[in-house]
Amino acid sequence: NIRGAPYERGVSHGKQIIAADPEIFTRMFSVYDFIFREKYGRDIEFFYGLCDDFYRGIIKRRFPKIFREMEGIAAGANLRIAQVIFINIFMSLPYFYAHLLRYIDTPKYHKKYADVIRDELAIRTDPTALSARNARLDEFKDRCSLVMAVGPGWTKDGGIVCGHSSFSNFLDAQFCNVILRIEPEAGDGFVIVMQSMPGGVYSMSDFFVTSAGIIGSETTIRGFNAFVLRDPICCRIRECMQYGRTLEEY
């Protein structure tokens, strides 16, 4: 249960998580490191770097309050800000990585990511390696399924029915064990209750209820839009949860 201004509630979040389980983040990042080495052949530090280079600026510029909350979580849990960003864009990274060359093979990043660019270009010229890599990436995307119904003729009593299956593996889903209640300071949006993960600013398990009277859930839709590096889902859905009064506003 966290409340107040963004930084203060972030600090409270971090401290409460550590008080409940001092080793939770160590275990989380160890598991993530295993997952990303297996799927991409790159360690977690590489992905922290991507968070710093490609997501930190977007979040800080476009969603300053969420960024301050992330800074508070980092301070409260003694983490790096890149680690908190990583937790919250974990679900976005497979989409970004599938288009990695588009963003790193540029004058700004060519030198820093020279070895990665070389490896990615080599994979593209080897049909067997490319097929294997694409299959691994595909396993990591578009996992959940969702049904939402409400109203006469749709549900037995006209009330809300929400069903969601994450299709997540145990390795990462085991950490979605936090029931998080966020109470912003007066005048800064609605109270949110959701199932989340240590360090999360949005659900990640795709279920939330707000004091605006809105119940929500999330899922991916394959092929709906081509990937473009813009506002990450963690920020977009959090803005909806905190400030959305109506479905139209969402």
Side-chain angles (χ1 to χ4, degrees), residues 99-116:
H99 303 278
L100 186 64
L101 278 178
R102 182 194 305 173
Y103 298 102
I104 65 173
D105 194 6
T106 63
K108 182 177 181 179
Y109 294 112
H110 190 90
K111 183 177 181 180
K112 178 176 181 179
Y113 291 102
D115 292 346
V116 181

Side-chain angles (χ1 to χ4, degrees), residues 15-28:
K15 287 184 174 180
Q16 288 186 56
I17 293 293
I18 292 297
D21 186 345
E23 302 300 321
I24 183 62
F25 288 109
T26 300
R27 295 199 306 276
M28 278 179 58

Side-chain angles (χ1 to χ4, degrees), residues 45-181:
E45 288 292 336
F46 171 79
F47 290 94
Y48 292 159
L50 293 182
C51 291
D52 264 333
D53 288 337
F54 298 100
Y55 285 95
R56 180 175 183 152
I58 292 173
I59 298 172
K60 186 175 183 178
R61 182 177 64 255
R62 297 269 297 142
F63 304 94
K65 291 182 180 180
I66 296 175
F67 187 77
R68 281 296 284 163
E69 187 171 324
M70 289 180 170
E71 288 183 313
I73 294 169
N78 195 27
L79 300 174
R80 292 147 52 188
I81 185 65
Q83 291 176 302
V84 179
I85 294 172
F86 173 89
I87 291 168
N88 285 282
I89 66 160
F90 170 74
M91 299 294 183
S92 300
L93 284 171
Y95 303 92
F96 178 82
Y97 199 90
H99 303 278
L100 186 64
L101 278 178
R102 182 194 305 173
Y103 298 102
I104 65 173
D105 194 6
T106 63
K108 182 177 181 179
Y109 294 112
H110 190 90
K111 183 177 181 180
K112 178 176 181 179
Y113 291 102
D115 292 346
V116 181
I117 293 169
R118 180 201 63 212
D119 293 345
E120 290 297 311
L121 290 174
I123 290 172
R124 289 192 175 194
T125 61
D126 183 336
T128 302
L130 182 62
S131 177
R133 205 280 296 275
N134 286 344
R136 288 198 302 274
L137 290 180
D138 198 52
E139 291 174 2
F140 219 15
K141 298 192 299 183
D142 296 346
R143 294 185 298 187
C144 15
S145 185
L146 164 70
V147 60
M148 181 86 77
V150 63
W154 291 98
T155 64
K156 186 175 181 178
D157 62 357
I160 299 171
V161 172
C162 176
H164 181 278
S165 179
S166 69
F167 299 150
S168 292
N169 60 53
F170 174 75
L171 282 176
D172 60 87
Q174 66 179 304
F175 298 111
C176 287
N177 62 353
V178 175
I179 301 301
L180 181 61
R181 181 181 184 274

